[in-house]
Tab-separated table of all heavy atoms in Angstrom:
chain	number	residue	atom	x	y	z
X	259	THR	N	-24.087	-37.240	97.927
X	259	THR	CA	-23.242	-37.411	99.080
X	259	THR	C	-23.933	-38.117	100.248
X	259	THR	O	-23.271	-38.659	101.133
X	259	THR	CB	-22.722	-36.056	99.582
X	259	THR	OG1	-23.828	-35.244	99.972
X	259	THR	CG2	-21.943	-35.337	98.500
X	260	GLY	N	-25.259	-38.054	100.238
X	260	GLY	CA	-25.980	-38.632	101.356
X	260	GLY	C	-25.830	-37.801	102.611
X	260	GLY	O	-26.179	-38.235	103.700
X	261	SER	N	-25.304	-36.602	102.471
X	261	SER	CA	-25.126	-35.717	103.616
X	261	SER	C	-25.939	-34.457	103.414
X	261	SER	O	-26.506	-34.229	102.348
X	261	SER	CB	-23.643	-35.364	103.784
X	261	SER	OG	-23.221	-34.561	102.684
X	262	ASP	N	-25.978	-33.617	104.412
X	262	ASP	CA	-26.721	-32.364	104.347
X	262	ASP	C	-25.861	-31.301	103.660
X	262	ASP	O	-24.837	-30.885	104.222
X	262	ASP	CB	-27.108	-31.900	105.743
X	262	ASP	CG	-28.092	-30.747	105.718
X	262	ASP	OD1	-28.347	-30.196	104.625
X	262	ASP	OD2	-28.582	-30.372	106.792
X	263	ALA	N	-26.276	-30.880	102.465
X	263	ALA	CA	-25.511	-29.878	101.708
X	263	ALA	C	-26.052	-28.481	101.907
X	263	ALA	O	-25.646	-27.538	101.227
X	263	ALA	CB	-25.503	-30.250	100.237
X	264	LYS	N	-26.978	-28.299	102.848
X	264	LYS	CA	-27.610	-26.989	103.008
X	264	LYS	C	-26.651	-25.929	103.529
X	264	LYS	O	-26.935	-24.733	103.412
X	264	LYS	CB	-28.815	-27.100	103.952
X	264	LYS	CG	-29.971	-27.906	103.356
X	264	LYS	CD	-31.157	-27.965	104.310
X	264	LYS	CE	-32.298	-28.762	103.696
X	264	LYS	NZ	-33.449	-28.877	104.619
X	265	GLY	N	-25.553	-26.332	104.093
X	265	GLY	CA	-24.601	-25.351	104.575
X	265	GLY	C	-23.870	-24.608	103.475
X	265	GLY	O	-23.238	-23.573	103.720
X	266	ILE	N	-23.961	-25.124	102.255
X	266	ILE	CA	-23.294	-24.461	101.124
X	266	ILE	C	-23.928	-23.083	100.884
X	266	ILE	O	-25.155	-22.944	100.908
X	266	ILE	CB	-23.414	-25.313	99.857
X	266	ILE	CG1	-22.673	-26.642	100.040
X	266	ILE	CG2	-22.867	-24.566	98.638
X	266	ILE	CD1	-22.869	-27.605	98.885
X	267	TRP	N	-23.104	-22.103	100.660
X	267	TRP	CA	-23.603	-20.809	100.184
X	267	TRP	C	-23.838	-20.925	98.693
X	267	TRP	O	-22.901	-21.154	97.928
X	267	TRP	CB	-22.572	-19.706	100.467
X	267	TRP	CG	-22.577	-19.202	101.887
X	267	TRP	CD1	-22.269	-19.906	103.007
X	267	TRP	CD2	-22.913	-17.877	102.291
X	267	TRP	NE1	-22.384	-19.115	104.093
X	267	TRP	CE2	-22.778	-17.858	103.698
X	267	TRP	CE3	-23.308	-16.737	101.624
X	267	TRP	CZ2	-23.018	-16.708	104.447
X	267	TRP	CZ3	-23.542	-15.579	102.368
X	267	TRP	CH2	-23.418	-15.572	103.758
X	268	SER	N	-25.082	-20.746	98.283
X	268	SER	CA	-25.367	-20.870	96.848
X	268	SER	C	-26.522	-19.965	96.468
X	268	SER	O	-27.356	-19.628	97.299
X	268	SER	CB	-25.712	-22.333	96.494
X	268	SER	OG	-26.944	-22.692	97.071
X	269	GLY	N	-26.558	-19.598	95.210
X	269	GLY	CA	-27.619	-18.759	94.691
X	269	GLY	C	-27.097	-17.819	93.629
X	269	GLY	O	-25.953	-17.906	93.207
X	270	THR	N	-27.969	-16.904	93.217
X	270	THR	CA	-27.538	-15.903	92.244
X	270	THR	C	-26.636	-14.892	92.911
X	270	THR	O	-26.577	-14.779	94.149
X	270	THR	CB	-28.759	-15.173	91.662
X	270	THR	OG1	-29.406	-14.423	92.715
X	270	THR	CG2	-29.775	-16.149	91.062
X	271	PHE	N	-25.953	-14.107	92.102
X	271	PHE	CA	-25.116	-13.027	92.641
X	271	PHE	C	-25.955	-12.131	93.560
X	271	PHE	O	-25.507	-11.739	94.642
X	271	PHE	CB	-24.538	-12.181	91.509
X	271	PHE	CG	-23.317	-12.780	90.849
X	271	PHE	CD1	-23.445	-13.706	89.838
X	271	PHE	CD2	-22.051	-12.394	91.252
X	271	PHE	CE1	-22.312	-14.255	89.233
X	271	PHE	CE2	-20.905	-12.931	90.659
X	271	PHE	CZ	-21.051	-13.861	89.637
X	272	HIS	N	-27.174	-11.805	93.121
X	272	HIS	CA	-28.009	-10.868	93.896
X	272	HIS	C	-28.487	-11.473	95.198
X	272	HIS	O	-28.507	-10.804	96.250
X	272	HIS	CB	-29.198	-10.410	93.044
X	272	HIS	CG	-28.801	-9.636	91.843
X	272	HIS	ND1	-28.571	-10.233	90.611
X	272	HIS	CD2	-28.552	-8.312	91.660
X	272	HIS	CE1	-28.214	-9.312	89.735
X	272	HIS	NE2	-28.194	-8.141	90.348
X	273	SER	N	-28.901	-12.753	95.174
X	273	SER	CA	-29.404	-13.360	96.394
X	273	SER	C	-28.278	-13.546	97.429
X	273	SER	O	-28.471	-13.332	98.633
X	273	SER	CB	-30.086	-14.689	96.106
X	273	SER	OG	-29.161	-15.657	95.603
X	274	VAL	N	-27.094	-13.919	96.965
X	274	VAL	CA	-25.955	-14.054	97.891
X	274	VAL	C	-25.544	-12.679	98.422
X	274	VAL	O	-25.218	-12.530	99.613
X	274	VAL	CB	-24.767	-14.768	97.206
X	274	VAL	CG1	-23.529	-14.733	98.081
X	274	VAL	CG2	-25.129	-16.207	96.864
X	275	ALA	N	-25.569	-11.671	97.572
X	275	ALA	CA	-25.246	-10.307	98.025
X	275	ALA	C	-26.194	-9.862	99.112
X	275	ALA	O	-25.787	-9.288	100.141
X	275	ALA	CB	-25.313	-9.345	96.832
X	276	ASN	N	-27.490	-10.132	98.921
X	276	ASN	CA	-28.491	-9.762	99.925
X	276	ASN	C	-28.179	-10.417	101.261
X	276	ASN	O	-28.211	-9.783	102.334
X	276	ASN	CB	-29.897	-10.156	99.430
X	276	ASN	CG	-30.959	-9.923	100.474
X	276	ASN	OD1	-31.106	-8.817	101.002
X	276	ASN	ND2	-31.714	-10.961	100.780
X	277	ARG	N	-27.901	-11.716	101.227
X	277	ARG	CA	-27.581	-12.456	102.451
X	277	ARG	C	-26.339	-11.899	103.140
X	277	ARG	O	-26.295	-11.718	104.365
X	277	ARG	CB	-27.413	-13.928	102.118
X	277	ARG	CG	-27.142	-14.835	103.316
X	277	ARG	CD	-27.007	-16.266	102.862
X	277	ARG	NE	-26.572	-17.136	103.958
X	277	ARG	CZ	-26.261	-18.423	103.798
X	277	ARG	NH1	-26.346	-18.992	102.610
X	277	ARG	NH2	-25.863	-19.131	104.848
X	278	MET	N	-25.336	-11.602	102.328
X	278	MET	CA	-24.054	-11.118	102.871
X	278	MET	C	-24.241	-9.735	103.495
X	278	MET	O	-23.732	-9.452	104.582
X	278	MET	CB	-23.007	-11.066	101.755
X	278	MET	CG	-21.633	-10.662	102.215
X	278	MET	SD	-20.895	-11.872	103.334
X	278	MET	CE	-20.777	-13.302	102.253
X	279	LEU	N	-24.990	-8.854	102.837
X	279	LEU	CA	-25.182	-7.507	103.339
X	279	LEU	C	-25.938	-7.496	104.658
X	279	LEU	O	-25.661	-6.683	105.551
X	279	LEU	CB	-25.912	-6.655	102.303
X	279	LEU	CG	-25.111	-6.368	101.004
X	279	LEU	CD1	-26.007	-5.666	99.990
X	279	LEU	CD2	-23.883	-5.539	101.294
X	280	ARG	N	-26.899	-8.386	104.780
X	280	ARG	CA	-27.704	-8.420	106.011
X	280	ARG	C	-26.890	-8.947	107.168
X	280	ARG	O	-27.231	-8.698	108.339
X	280	ARG	CB	-28.976	-9.235	105.791
X	280	ARG	CG	-29.911	-8.557	104.799
X	280	ARG	CD	-31.295	-9.157	104.747
X	280	ARG	NE	-32.060	-8.551	103.664
X	280	ARG	CZ	-32.698	-7.389	103.719
X	280	ARG	NH1	-32.612	-6.648	104.839
X	280	ARG	NH2	-33.398	-6.932	102.689
X	281	MET	N	-25.808	-9.667	106.888
X	281	MET	CA	-24.912	-10.118	107.959
X	281	MET	C	-23.958	-9.015	108.392
X	281	MET	O	-23.330	-9.110	109.448
X	281	MET	CB	-24.086	-11.323	107.463
X	281	MET	CG	-24.882	-12.589	107.301
X	281	MET	SD	-23.845	-13.939	106.686
X	281	MET	CE	-22.653	-14.109	108.031
X	282	HIS	N	-23.840	-7.940	107.580
X	282	HIS	CA	-22.876	-6.870	107.874
X	282	HIS	C	-23.545	-5.505	107.759
X	282	HIS	O	-23.019	-4.583	107.130
X	282	HIS	CB	-21.688	-6.950	106.903
X	282	HIS	CG	-20.893	-8.220	107.021
X	282	HIS	ND1	-21.238	-9.374	106.353
X	282	HIS	CD2	-19.774	-8.531	107.731
X	282	HIS	CE1	-20.351	-10.329	106.640
X	282	HIS	NE2	-19.470	-9.847	107.490
X	283	LEU	N	-24.729	-5.381	108.370
X	283	LEU	CA	-25.469	-4.115	108.268
X	283	LEU	C	-24.691	-2.939	108.842
X	283	LEU	O	-24.725	-1.828	108.285
X	283	LEU	CB	-26.824	-4.262	108.998
X	283	LEU	CG	-27.842	-5.155	108.305
X	283	LEU	CD1	-29.066	-5.342	109.200
X	283	LEU	CD2	-28.280	-4.553	106.969
X	284	SER	N	-23.982	-3.162	109.933
X	284	SER	CA	-23.232	-2.050	110.523
X	284	SER	C	-22.145	-1.554	109.591
X	284	SER	O	-21.842	-0.346	109.531
X	284	SER	CB	-22.616	-2.490	111.861
X	284	SER	OG	-21.729	-3.588	111.671
X	285	ALA	N	-21.570	-2.465	108.823
X	285	ALA	CA	-20.494	-2.094	107.897
X	285	ALA	C	-20.992	-1.249	106.737
X	285	ALA	O	-20.252	-0.427	106.192
X	285	ALA	CB	-19.800	-3.349	107.378
X	286	ILE	N	-22.260	-1.467	106.362
X	286	ILE	CA	-22.789	-0.674	105.246
X	286	ILE	C	-23.566	0.542	105.750
X	286	ILE	O	-24.157	1.276	104.939
X	286	ILE	CB	-23.687	-1.524	104.321
X	286	ILE	CG1	-24.938	-2.023	105.076
X	286	ILE	CG2	-22.917	-2.693	103.732
X	286	ILE	CD1	-25.933	-2.746	104.173
X	287	GLY	N	-23.591	0.730	107.077
X	287	GLY	CA	-24.160	1.953	107.663
X	287	GLY	C	-25.666	2.014	107.609
X	287	GLY	O	-26.236	3.115	107.473
Side-chain angles (χ1 to χ4, degrees):
T259 62
S261 67
D262 190 352
K264 291 181 180 178
I266 296 174
W267 279 65
S268 68
T270 65
F271 279 85
H272 296 91
S273 65
V274 172
N276 175 54
R277 182 179 172 186
M278 184 65 64
L279 293 173
R280 294 192 187 279
M281 290 179 62
H282 297 85
L283 289 173
S284 60
I286 64 174

